[in-house]
Amino acid sequence: MGLFDRITFEEGLDVEFPDIGANPFEVTWQTKSIARHEPMMENYKVTSNGRLFKEEAEYEHVPEEERPGYDEEIGGFENEVERGRGSRKKIHRGWSDTEYHGIFEFHRTIDGDYVSLDAKFTDGQLVEITPND
């Protein structure tokens, strides 16, 4: 399956979604085609005024004794897999407008049905959402 990025849409968009059998604003979508690089589990959102924003974040090292699975009695972890879990903590630093221009595909399985849509942006503004055929 590989890595992907996540995208959400804020309610209040002037652009309509095709009928997908669910509220598209309550869905966290997946995409592999927003960024000009490989997907890296980044978070994106389309604001109610139709702009694509990317989450800005930094990651901090978490000391071993603060990680899940740390055993104080043995002064460490039962195995190496446990040691790596929770070693970094994400720090949200805000959102930045990507000024996206182009089309990207996004998708999700909803009630057992695979739904794939395209979002078209012109000069940073969402102008259309259509089924991806």
Short mmCIF file of all heavy atoms in Angstrom, two decimals, residues 52-116:
data_model
loop_
_atom_site.label_atom_id
_atom_site.label_comp_id
_atom_site.label_asym_id
_atom_site.label_seq_id
_atom_site.Cartn_x
_atom_site.Cartn_y
_atom_site.Cartn_z
N LEU A 52 -6.24 25.19 -0.46
CA LEU A 52 -5.58 23.99 0.02
C LEU A 52 -4.45 24.38 0.97
O LEU A 52 -3.51 25.06 0.56
CB LEU A 52 -5.03 23.16 -1.14
CG LEU A 52 -4.30 21.88 -0.76
CD1 LEU A 52 -5.24 20.88 -0.09
CD2 LEU A 52 -3.63 21.27 -1.98
N PHE A 53 -4.56 23.93 2.22
CA PHE A 53 -3.55 24.22 3.23
C PHE A 53 -2.83 22.94 3.64
O PHE A 53 -3.43 21.86 3.66
CB PHE A 53 -4.19 24.84 4.47
CG PHE A 53 -4.46 26.31 4.36
CD1 PHE A 53 -5.41 26.80 3.49
CD2 PHE A 53 -3.76 27.22 5.14
CE1 PHE A 53 -5.66 28.15 3.38
CE2 PHE A 53 -4.00 28.58 5.04
CZ PHE A 53 -4.94 29.05 4.16
N LYS A 54 -1.55 23.07 3.96
CA LYS A 54 -0.73 21.96 4.44
C LYS A 54 -0.36 22.23 5.89
O LYS A 54 -0.01 23.36 6.25
CB LYS A 54 0.54 21.84 3.60
CG LYS A 54 1.48 20.73 4.04
CD LYS A 54 2.71 20.72 3.13
CE LYS A 54 3.68 19.66 3.55
NZ LYS A 54 4.56 20.10 4.62
N GLU A 55 -0.43 21.18 6.70
CA GLU A 55 -0.03 21.33 8.10
C GLU A 55 1.48 21.48 8.20
O GLU A 55 2.24 20.73 7.58
CB GLU A 55 -0.47 20.11 8.91
CG GLU A 55 -0.09 20.25 10.38
CD GLU A 55 -0.44 19.02 11.20
OE1 GLU A 55 -0.44 17.89 10.64
OE2 GLU A 55 -0.69 19.18 12.39
N GLU A 56 1.90 22.45 8.96
CA GLU A 56 3.31 22.63 9.27
C GLU A 56 3.56 22.01 10.64
O GLU A 56 2.82 22.28 11.60
CB GLU A 56 3.68 24.12 9.29
CG GLU A 56 3.44 24.82 7.96
CD GLU A 56 4.23 24.24 6.80
OE1 GLU A 56 5.35 23.71 7.03
OE2 GLU A 56 3.73 24.28 5.67
N ALA A 57 4.56 21.15 10.73
CA ALA A 57 4.84 20.45 11.98
C ALA A 57 6.33 20.19 12.12
O ALA A 57 7.07 20.18 11.14
CB ALA A 57 4.07 19.14 12.03
N GLU A 58 6.72 20.02 13.36
CA GLU A 58 8.08 19.61 13.69
C GLU A 58 7.97 18.36 14.55
O GLU A 58 6.92 18.08 15.13
CB GLU A 58 8.81 20.71 14.46
CG GLU A 58 9.04 21.96 13.66
CD GLU A 58 9.67 23.08 14.49
OE1 GLU A 58 9.99 22.84 15.67
OE2 GLU A 58 9.83 24.17 13.94
N TYR A 59 9.06 17.63 14.65
CA TYR A 59 9.07 16.42 15.46
C TYR A 59 10.17 16.52 16.50
O TYR A 59 11.29 16.94 16.20
CB TYR A 59 9.28 15.20 14.57
CG TYR A 59 8.10 14.97 13.65
CD1 TYR A 59 8.03 15.61 12.42
CD2 TYR A 59 7.05 14.16 14.04
CE1 TYR A 59 6.93 15.43 11.58
CE2 TYR A 59 5.96 13.97 13.22
CZ TYR A 59 5.90 14.61 11.99
OH TYR A 59 4.81 14.43 11.19
N GLU A 60 9.81 16.17 17.73
CA GLU A 60 10.76 16.19 18.84
C GLU A 60 11.05 14.77 19.30
O GLU A 60 10.18 13.90 19.26
CB GLU A 60 10.20 16.99 20.01
CG GLU A 60 10.07 18.47 19.75
CD GLU A 60 9.55 19.23 20.95
OE1 GLU A 60 9.18 18.60 21.97
OE2 GLU A 60 9.49 20.46 20.87
N HIS A 61 12.27 14.57 19.75
CA HIS A 61 12.69 13.29 20.32
C HIS A 61 11.99 13.10 21.68
O HIS A 61 11.91 14.03 22.47
CB HIS A 61 14.21 13.28 20.50
CG HIS A 61 14.72 12.07 21.20
ND1 HIS A 61 14.83 10.87 20.57
CD2 HIS A 61 15.12 11.88 22.47
CE1 HIS A 61 15.30 9.97 21.43
NE2 HIS A 61 15.48 10.57 22.58
N VAL A 62 11.50 11.90 21.94
CA VAL A 62 10.89 11.57 23.23
C VAL A 62 11.86 10.68 23.99
O VAL A 62 12.28 9.63 23.48
CB VAL A 62 9.54 10.83 23.01
CG1 VAL A 62 8.95 10.40 24.35
CG2 VAL A 62 8.57 11.71 22.24
N PRO A 63 12.24 11.08 25.21
CA PRO A 63 13.15 10.24 26.00
C PRO A 63 12.56 8.84 26.21
O PRO A 63 11.34 8.68 26.33
CB PRO A 63 13.25 10.98 27.33
CG PRO A 63 12.85 12.39 27.02
CD PRO A 63 11.86 12.30 25.90
N GLU A 64 13.42 7.82 26.27
CA GLU A 64 12.96 6.44 26.39
C GLU A 64 12.01 6.24 27.56
O GLU A 64 11.00 5.56 27.44
CB GLU A 64 14.15 5.50 26.52
CG GLU A 64 14.87 5.26 25.22
CD GLU A 64 15.91 4.16 25.31
OE1 GLU A 64 16.17 3.62 26.41
OE2 GLU A 64 16.47 3.81 24.25
N GLU A 65 12.30 6.84 28.69
CA GLU A 65 11.47 6.60 29.88
C GLU A 65 10.06 7.20 29.76
O GLU A 65 9.19 6.88 30.56
CB GLU A 65 12.17 7.11 31.15
CG GLU A 65 12.54 8.57 31.14
CD GLU A 65 13.89 8.86 30.48
OE1 GLU A 65 14.54 7.95 29.96
OE2 GLU A 65 14.26 10.04 30.48
N GLU A 66 9.81 8.03 28.73
CA GLU A 66 8.48 8.61 28.51
C GLU A 66 7.71 7.90 27.39
O GLU A 66 6.58 8.25 27.10
CB GLU A 66 8.62 10.10 28.17
CG GLU A 66 9.16 10.94 29.31
CD GLU A 66 9.36 12.40 28.93
OE1 GLU A 66 8.76 12.84 27.91
OE2 GLU A 66 10.12 13.08 29.62
N ARG A 67 8.31 6.89 26.78
CA ARG A 67 7.67 6.19 25.67
C ARG A 67 6.76 5.06 26.17
O ARG A 67 7.00 4.50 27.24
CB ARG A 67 8.74 5.58 24.75
CG ARG A 67 9.60 6.61 24.10
CD ARG A 67 10.63 5.95 23.22
NE ARG A 67 11.68 6.89 22.91
CZ ARG A 67 12.83 6.55 22.35
NH1 ARG A 67 13.06 5.31 21.99
NH2 ARG A 67 13.74 7.48 22.11
N PRO A 68 5.74 4.72 25.36
CA PRO A 68 4.89 3.59 25.73
C PRO A 68 5.71 2.30 25.77
O PRO A 68 6.60 2.10 24.95
CB PRO A 68 3.84 3.52 24.62
CG PRO A 68 4.19 4.57 23.63
CD PRO A 68 5.35 5.34 24.11
N GLY A 69 5.44 1.46 26.75
CA GLY A 69 6.14 0.18 26.84
C GLY A 69 7.40 0.21 27.68
O GLY A 69 8.02 -0.83 27.92
N TYR A 70 7.80 1.40 28.15
CA TYR A 70 9.00 1.49 28.98
C TYR A 70 8.69 0.84 30.34
O TYR A 70 7.69 1.14 30.97
CB TYR A 70 9.42 2.95 29.17
CG TYR A 70 10.68 3.10 29.99
CD1 TYR A 70 11.93 2.94 29.40
CD2 TYR A 70 10.61 3.40 31.34
CE1 TYR A 70 13.08 3.09 30.14
CE2 TYR A 70 11.77 3.54 32.10
CZ TYR A 70 13.00 3.38 31.48
OH TYR A 70 14.15 3.52 32.23
N ASP A 71 9.55 -0.04 30.76
CA ASP A 71 9.37 -0.76 32.03
C ASP A 71 10.37 -0.23 33.04
O ASP A 71 11.58 -0.45 32.91
CB ASP A 71 9.55 -2.26 31.80
CG ASP A 71 9.21 -3.10 33.01
OD1 ASP A 71 9.28 -2.60 34.15
OD2 ASP A 71 8.86 -4.28 32.80
N GLU A 72 9.87 0.47 34.05
CA GLU A 72 10.75 1.06 35.07
C GLU A 72 11.50 0.00 35.86
O GLU A 72 12.64 0.22 36.28
CB GLU A 72 9.94 1.95 36.01
CG GLU A 72 9.46 3.22 35.34
CD GLU A 72 8.75 4.16 36.31
OE1 GLU A 72 8.98 4.04 37.53
OE2 GLU A 72 7.99 5.00 35.83
N GLU A 73 10.87 -1.16 36.06
CA GLU A 73 11.51 -2.22 36.85
C GLU A 73 12.77 -2.75 36.18
O GLU A 73 13.74 -3.06 36.86
CB GLU A 73 10.52 -3.37 37.09
CG GLU A 73 9.42 -3.00 38.06
CD GLU A 73 8.50 -4.18 38.34
OE1 GLU A 73 8.91 -5.35 38.15
OE2 GLU A 73 7.37 -3.91 38.76
N ILE A 74 12.74 -2.86 34.85
CA ILE A 74 13.94 -3.37 34.16
C ILE A 74 14.78 -2.23 33.58
O ILE A 74 15.85 -2.46 33.04
CB ILE A 74 13.58 -4.40 33.06
CG1 ILE A 74 12.74 -3.76 31.95
CG2 ILE A 74 12.87 -5.60 33.66
CD1 ILE A 74 12.52 -4.67 30.75
N GLY A 75 14.27 -1.00 33.68
CA GLY A 75 15.02 0.15 33.19
C GLY A 75 15.14 0.20 31.67
O GLY A 75 16.14 0.66 31.14
N GLY A 76 14.11 -0.29 30.99
CA GLY A 76 14.15 -0.29 29.54
C GLY A 76 12.94 -0.98 28.95
O GLY A 76 11.86 -0.96 29.53
N PHE A 77 13.15 -1.62 27.81
CA PHE A 77 12.07 -2.27 27.07
C PHE A 77 12.32 -3.76 27.01
O PHE A 77 13.46 -4.22 27.05
CB PHE A 77 11.99 -1.70 25.65
CG PHE A 77 11.71 -0.22 25.62
CD1 PHE A 77 12.74 0.71 25.64
CD2 PHE A 77 10.41 0.24 25.59
CE1 PHE A 77 12.48 2.07 25.61
CE2 PHE A 77 10.14 1.60 25.57
CZ PHE A 77 11.17 2.51 25.59
N GLU A 78 11.24 -4.52 26.86
CA GLU A 78 11.37 -5.97 26.77
C GLU A 78 11.99 -6.40 25.44
O GLU A 78 12.61 -7.45 25.37
CB GLU A 78 10.02 -6.65 26.95
CG GLU A 78 9.51 -6.54 28.37
CD GLU A 78 8.25 -7.34 28.59
OE1 GLU A 78 8.01 -8.30 27.84
OE2 GLU A 78 7.52 -7.00 29.53
N ASN A 79 11.82 -5.57 24.39
CA ASN A 79 12.42 -5.90 23.09
C ASN A 79 12.69 -4.62 22.30
O ASN A 79 12.23 -3.54 22.67
CB ASN A 79 11.55 -6.88 22.30
CG ASN A 79 10.17 -6.31 22.02
OD1 ASN A 79 10.06 -5.25 21.41
ND2 ASN A 79 9.14 -7.01 22.43
N GLU A 80 13.44 -4.74 21.23
CA GLU A 80 13.84 -3.58 20.44
C GLU A 80 12.67 -2.92 19.70
O GLU A 80 12.70 -1.72 19.44
CB GLU A 80 14.94 -3.95 19.44
CG GLU A 80 16.28 -4.18 20.09
CD GLU A 80 16.78 -2.96 20.86
OE1 GLU A 80 16.80 -1.84 20.30
OE2 GLU A 80 17.16 -3.13 22.03
N VAL A 81 11.65 -3.71 19.34
CA VAL A 81 10.49 -3.13 18.67
C VAL A 81 9.82 -2.10 19.58
O VAL A 81 9.44 -1.01 19.16
CB VAL A 81 9.48 -4.24 18.25
CG1 VAL A 81 8.20 -3.63 17.72
CG2 VAL A 81 10.11 -5.15 17.23
N GLU A 82 9.70 -2.45 20.85
CA GLU A 82 9.09 -1.52 21.82
C GLU A 82 9.91 -0.24 21.95
O GLU A 82 9.36 0.84 22.13
CB GLU A 82 8.99 -2.20 23.19
CG GLU A 82 8.02 -3.35 23.24
CD GLU A 82 6.58 -2.88 23.26
OE1 GLU A 82 6.29 -1.86 23.90
OE2 GLU A 82 5.75 -3.55 22.63
N ARG A 83 11.21 -0.34 21.86
CA ARG A 83 12.09 0.82 22.06
C ARG A 83 11.80 1.93 21.05
O ARG A 83 11.80 3.10 21.37
CB ARG A 83 13.55 0.41 21.95
CG ARG A 83 14.53 1.56 22.13
CD ARG A 83 15.98 1.13 21.94
NE ARG A 83 16.36 -0.01 22.74
CZ ARG A 83 16.73 0.05 24.03
NH1 ARG A 83 16.75 1.20 24.64
NH2 ARG A 83 17.06 -1.04 24.67
N GLY A 84 11.55 1.57 19.81
CA GLY A 84 11.34 2.57 18.76
C GLY A 84 9.96 3.21 18.76
O GLY A 84 9.78 4.31 18.25
N ARG A 85 8.98 2.52 19.32
CA ARG A 85 7.61 3.03 19.32
C ARG A 85 7.51 4.31 20.16
O ARG A 85 7.96 4.36 21.29
CB ARG A 85 6.67 1.96 19.87
CG ARG A 85 5.25 2.17 19.50
CD ARG A 85 4.44 0.99 19.91
NE ARG A 85 4.63 0.75 21.34
CZ ARG A 85 3.72 0.25 22.14
NH1 ARG A 85 2.57 -0.10 21.67
NH2 ARG A 85 3.96 0.07 23.40
N GLY A 86 6.95 5.34 19.58
CA GLY A 86 6.76 6.60 20.29
C GLY A 86 8.03 7.40 20.49
O GLY A 86 8.12 8.24 21.38
N SER A 87 9.04 7.18 19.65
CA SER A 87 10.32 7.87 19.84
C SER A 87 10.31 9.32 19.37
O SER A 87 11.21 10.09 19.69
CB SER A 87 11.45 7.11 19.14
OG SER A 87 11.21 7.07 17.75
N ARG A 88 9.26 9.68 18.59
CA ARG A 88 9.14 11.07 18.13
C ARG A 88 7.74 11.58 18.43
O ARG A 88 6.77 10.84 18.33
CB ARG A 88 9.42 11.18 16.64
CG ARG A 88 10.83 10.81 16.29
CD ARG A 88 11.21 10.95 14.85
NE ARG A 88 10.15 11.13 13.89
CZ ARG A 88 10.23 11.93 12.83
NH1 ARG A 88 11.33 12.61 12.60
NH2 ARG A 88 9.24 12.02 11.97
N LYS A 89 7.65 12.86 18.75
CA LYS A 89 6.37 13.49 19.04
C LYS A 89 6.15 14.64 18.06
O LYS A 89 7.04 15.47 17.86
CB LYS A 89 6.35 14.01 20.49
CG LYS A 89 5.08 14.72 20.87
CD LYS A 89 5.02 14.98 22.36
CE LYS A 89 5.78 16.23 22.69
NZ LYS A 89 5.59 16.66 24.10
N LYS A 90 4.98 14.64 17.45
CA LYS A 90 4.65 15.67 16.47
C LYS A 90 4.19 16.94 17.19
O LYS A 90 3.33 16.89 18.06
CB LYS A 90 3.55 15.16 15.54
CG LYS A 90 3.17 16.12 14.45
CD LYS A 90 2.11 15.48 13.58
CE LYS A 90 1.73 16.35 12.42
NZ LYS A 90 0.74 15.68 11.56
N ILE A 91 4.74 18.08 16.76
CA ILE A 91 4.36 19.38 17.30
C ILE A 91 3.74 20.20 16.17
O ILE A 91 4.42 20.55 15.20
CB ILE A 91 5.58 20.15 17.88
CG1 ILE A 91 6.37 19.28 18.86
CG2 ILE A 91 5.14 21.46 18.50
CD1 ILE A 91 5.61 18.85 20.08
N HIS A 92 2.44 20.48 16.28
CA HIS A 92 1.72 21.24 15.25
C HIS A 92 2.18 22.70 15.30
O HIS A 92 2.22 23.32 16.35
CB HIS A 92 0.21 21.15 15.52
CG HIS A 92 -0.62 22.00 14.61
ND1 HIS A 92 -0.87 21.66 13.30
CD2 HIS A 92 -1.25 23.18 14.82
CE1 HIS A 92 -1.63 22.60 12.75
NE2 HIS A 92 -1.86 23.53 13.65
N ARG A 93 2.53 23.26 14.14
CA ARG A 93 3.02 24.64 14.05
C ARG A 93 2.12 25.53 13.20
O ARG A 93 2.48 26.67 12.92
CB ARG A 93 4.44 24.67 13.48
CG ARG A 93 5.46 23.95 14.32
CD ARG A 93 5.71 24.70 15.60
NE ARG A 93 6.78 24.06 16.34
CZ ARG A 93 6.89 24.08 17.64
NH1 ARG A 93 5.99 24.72 18.37
NH2 ARG A 93 7.89 23.47 18.24
N GLY A 94 0.98 25.02 12.77
CA GLY A 94 0.06 25.85 12.00
C GLY A 94 -0.20 25.27 10.62
O GLY A 94 0.15 24.13 10.32
N TRP A 95 -0.83 26.07 9.78
CA TRP A 95 -1.20 25.68 8.42
C TRP A 95 -0.68 26.72 7.44
O TRP A 95 -0.68 27.91 7.76
CB TRP A 95 -2.72 25.58 8.28
CG TRP A 95 -3.32 24.51 9.12
CD1 TRP A 95 -3.79 24.64 10.41
CD2 TRP A 95 -3.53 23.16 8.76
NE1 TRP A 95 -4.27 23.44 10.85
CE2 TRP A 95 -4.13 22.52 9.86
CE3 TRP A 95 -3.27 22.42 7.60
CZ2 TRP A 95 -4.47 21.17 9.83
CZ3 TRP A 95 -3.63 21.09 7.59
CH2 TRP A 95 -4.22 20.47 8.70
N SER A 96 -0.26 26.28 6.26
CA SER A 96 0.21 27.22 5.24
C SER A 96 -0.52 26.95 3.92
O SER A 96 -0.76 25.80 3.55
CB SER A 96 1.72 27.13 5.03
OG SER A 96 2.07 25.85 4.58
N ASP A 97 -0.87 28.03 3.22
CA ASP A 97 -1.55 27.94 1.94
C ASP A 97 -0.56 27.43 0.90
O ASP A 97 0.52 27.99 0.73
CB ASP A 97 -2.08 29.32 1.54
CG ASP A 97 -3.04 29.28 0.36
OD1 ASP A 97 -2.94 28.37 -0.49
OD2 ASP A 97 -3.88 30.19 0.27
N THR A 98 -0.93 26.35 0.21
CA THR A 98 -0.03 25.77 -0.79
C THR A 98 -0.10 26.50 -2.13
O THR A 98 0.75 26.28 -2.99
CB THR A 98 -0.38 24.29 -1.05
OG1 THR A 98 -1.69 24.22 -1.62
CG2 THR A 98 -0.30 23.47 0.23
N GLU A 99 -1.14 27.33 -2.31
CA GLU A 99 -1.37 28.01 -3.59
C GLU A 99 -1.36 27.00 -4.73
O GLU A 99 -0.83 27.25 -5.81
CB GLU A 99 -0.36 29.13 -3.79
CG GLU A 99 -0.44 30.17 -2.68
CD GLU A 99 0.52 31.33 -2.86
OE1 GLU A 99 1.09 31.48 -3.95
OE2 GLU A 99 0.68 32.09 -1.89
N TYR A 100 -1.98 25.86 -4.49
CA TYR A 100 -1.97 24.73 -5.42
C TYR A 100 -2.64 25.10 -6.75
O TYR A 100 -3.67 25.77 -6.78
CB TYR A 100 -2.70 23.54 -4.80
CG TYR A 100 -2.51 22.25 -5.56
CD1 TYR A 100 -1.39 21.46 -5.34
CD2 TYR A 100 -3.44 21.83 -6.50
CE1 TYR A 100 -1.19 20.27 -6.04
CE2 TYR A 100 -3.25 20.64 -7.20
CZ TYR A 100 -2.13 19.88 -6.96
OH TYR A 100 -1.95 18.72 -7.66
N HIS A 101 -2.04 24.63 -7.83
CA HIS A 101 -2.60 24.80 -9.16
C HIS A 101 -2.48 23.47 -9.88
O HIS A 101 -1.39 22.95 -10.07
CB HIS A 101 -1.85 25.89 -9.95
CG HIS A 101 -2.43 26.13 -11.31
ND1 HIS A 101 -3.50 26.95 -11.51
CD2 HIS A 101 -2.08 25.63 -12.52
CE1 HIS A 101 -3.80 26.96 -12.81
NE2 HIS A 101 -2.94 26.17 -13.44
N GLY A 102 -3.62 22.87 -10.21
CA GLY A 102 -3.61 21.59 -10.89
C GLY A 102 -4.74 20.71 -10.39
O GLY A 102 -5.67 21.16 -9.74
N ILE A 103 -4.62 19.42 -10.69
CA ILE A 103 -5.64 18.44 -10.32
C ILE A 103 -4.96 17.33 -9.53
O ILE A 103 -3.88 16.87 -9.90
CB ILE A 103 -6.31 17.84 -11.57
CG1 ILE A 103 -7.01 18.93 -12.37
CG2 ILE A 103 -7.29 16.72 -11.18
CD1 ILE A 103 -7.54 18.47 -13.73
N PHE A 104 -5.59 16.92 -8.44
CA PHE A 104 -5.11 15.75 -7.72
C PHE A 104 -6.28 14.81 -7.41
O PHE A 104 -7.41 15.23 -7.28
CB PHE A 104 -4.33 16.10 -6.45
CG PHE A 104 -5.14 16.76 -5.37
CD1 PHE A 104 -5.90 16.01 -4.47
CD2 PHE A 104 -5.13 18.14 -5.22
CE1 PHE A 104 -6.64 16.61 -3.47
CE2 PHE A 104 -5.85 18.75 -4.22
CZ PHE A 104 -6.61 17.98 -3.35
N GLU A 105 -5.95 13.53 -7.33
CA GLU A 105 -6.93 12.49 -7.01
C GLU A 105 -6.92 12.25 -5.51
O GLU A 105 -5.86 12.28 -4.88
CB GLU A 105 -6.57 11.21 -7.76
CG GLU A 105 -7.53 10.04 -7.57
CD GLU A 105 -7.24 9.17 -6.36
OE1 GLU A 105 -6.13 9.26 -5.81
OE2 GLU A 105 -8.11 8.40 -5.96
N PHE A 106 -8.09 11.99 -4.93
CA PHE A 106 -8.20 11.58 -3.53
C PHE A 106 -9.28 10.50 -3.43
O PHE A 106 -10.17 10.43 -4.28
CB PHE A 106 -8.46 12.77 -2.61
CG PHE A 106 -9.73 13.54 -2.89
CD1 PHE A 106 -10.86 13.33 -2.11
CD2 PHE A 106 -9.79 14.47 -3.92
CE1 PHE A 106 -12.03 14.05 -2.34
CE2 PHE A 106 -10.95 15.19 -4.16
CZ PHE A 106 -12.08 14.98 -3.38
N HIS A 107 -9.17 9.65 -2.42
CA HIS A 107 -10.04 8.48 -2.37
C HIS A 107 -10.28 7.98 -0.96
O HIS A 107 -9.56 8.36 -0.03
CB HIS A 107 -9.45 7.34 -3.22
CG HIS A 107 -8.05 7.00 -2.80
ND1 HIS A 107 -6.95 7.60 -3.36
CD2 HIS A 107 -7.58 6.16 -1.87
CE1 HIS A 107 -5.86 7.12 -2.80
NE2 HIS A 107 -6.22 6.25 -1.89
N ARG A 108 -11.26 7.08 -0.85
CA ARG A 108 -11.58 6.44 0.41
C ARG A 108 -12.60 5.34 0.14
O ARG A 108 -13.41 5.45 -0.78
CB ARG A 108 -12.17 7.47 1.39
CG ARG A 108 -12.52 6.97 2.76
CD ARG A 108 -11.24 6.62 3.52
NE ARG A 108 -11.52 5.94 4.74
CZ ARG A 108 -11.37 6.48 5.94
NH1 ARG A 108 -10.95 7.71 6.07
NH2 ARG A 108 -11.63 5.78 7.01
N THR A 109 -12.60 4.30 0.93
CA THR A 109 -13.66 3.30 0.86
C THR A 109 -14.75 3.72 1.83
O THR A 109 -14.49 3.98 3.00
CB THR A 109 -13.12 1.90 1.22
OG1 THR A 109 -12.10 1.56 0.28
CG2 THR A 109 -14.22 0.86 1.18
N ILE A 110 -15.97 3.82 1.31
CA ILE A 110 -17.12 4.25 2.11
C ILE A 110 -18.19 3.17 2.02
O ILE A 110 -18.66 2.86 0.93
CB ILE A 110 -17.67 5.61 1.62
CG1 ILE A 110 -16.58 6.68 1.74
CG2 ILE A 110 -18.93 5.99 2.38
CD1 ILE A 110 -16.95 8.01 1.15
N ASP A 111 -18.54 2.59 3.15
CA ASP A 111 -19.54 1.52 3.21
C ASP A 111 -19.24 0.41 2.20
O ASP A 111 -20.13 -0.08 1.50
CB ASP A 111 -20.96 2.07 3.00
CG ASP A 111 -21.39 2.99 4.12
OD1 ASP A 111 -20.94 2.79 5.27
OD2 ASP A 111 -22.19 3.91 3.85
N GLY A 112 -17.98 0.05 2.07
CA GLY A 112 -17.57 -1.03 1.18
C GLY A 112 -17.36 -0.63 -0.26
O GLY A 112 -16.93 -1.45 -1.07
N ASP A 113 -17.67 0.61 -0.62
CA ASP A 113 -17.49 1.08 -2.00
C ASP A 113 -16.28 2.00 -2.09
O ASP A 113 -16.13 2.93 -1.30
CB ASP A 113 -18.73 1.84 -2.48
CG ASP A 113 -19.95 0.96 -2.59
OD1 ASP A 113 -19.79 -0.22 -2.99
OD2 ASP A 113 -21.06 1.43 -2.28
N TYR A 114 -15.42 1.74 -3.08
CA TYR A 114 -14.26 2.58 -3.31
C TYR A 114 -14.71 3.86 -4.02
O TYR A 114 -15.33 3.80 -5.08
CB TYR A 114 -13.22 1.84 -4.15
CG TYR A 114 -11.96 2.62 -4.40
CD1 TYR A 114 -11.02 2.78 -3.40
CD2 TYR A 114 -11.72 3.20 -5.64
CE1 TYR A 114 -9.85 3.49 -3.62
CE2 TYR A 114 -10.56 3.91 -5.88
CZ TYR A 114 -9.63 4.05 -4.87
OH TYR A 114 -8.49 4.76 -5.09
N VAL A 115 -14.41 5.00 -3.42
CA VAL A 115 -14.78 6.30 -4.00
C VAL A 115 -13.50 7.04 -4.35
O VAL A 115 -12.64 7.25 -3.49
CB VAL A 115 -15.62 7.13 -3.00
CG1 VAL A 115 -15.93 8.50 -3.57
CG2 VAL A 115 -16.89 6.39 -2.61
N SER A 116 -13.36 7.43 -5.61
CA SER A 116 -12.19 8.16 -6.08
C SER A 116 -12.67 9.44 -6.77
O SER A 116 -13.50 9.39 -7.68
CB SER A 116 -11.39 7.30 -7.06
OG SER A 116 -10.30 8.03 -7.59
#
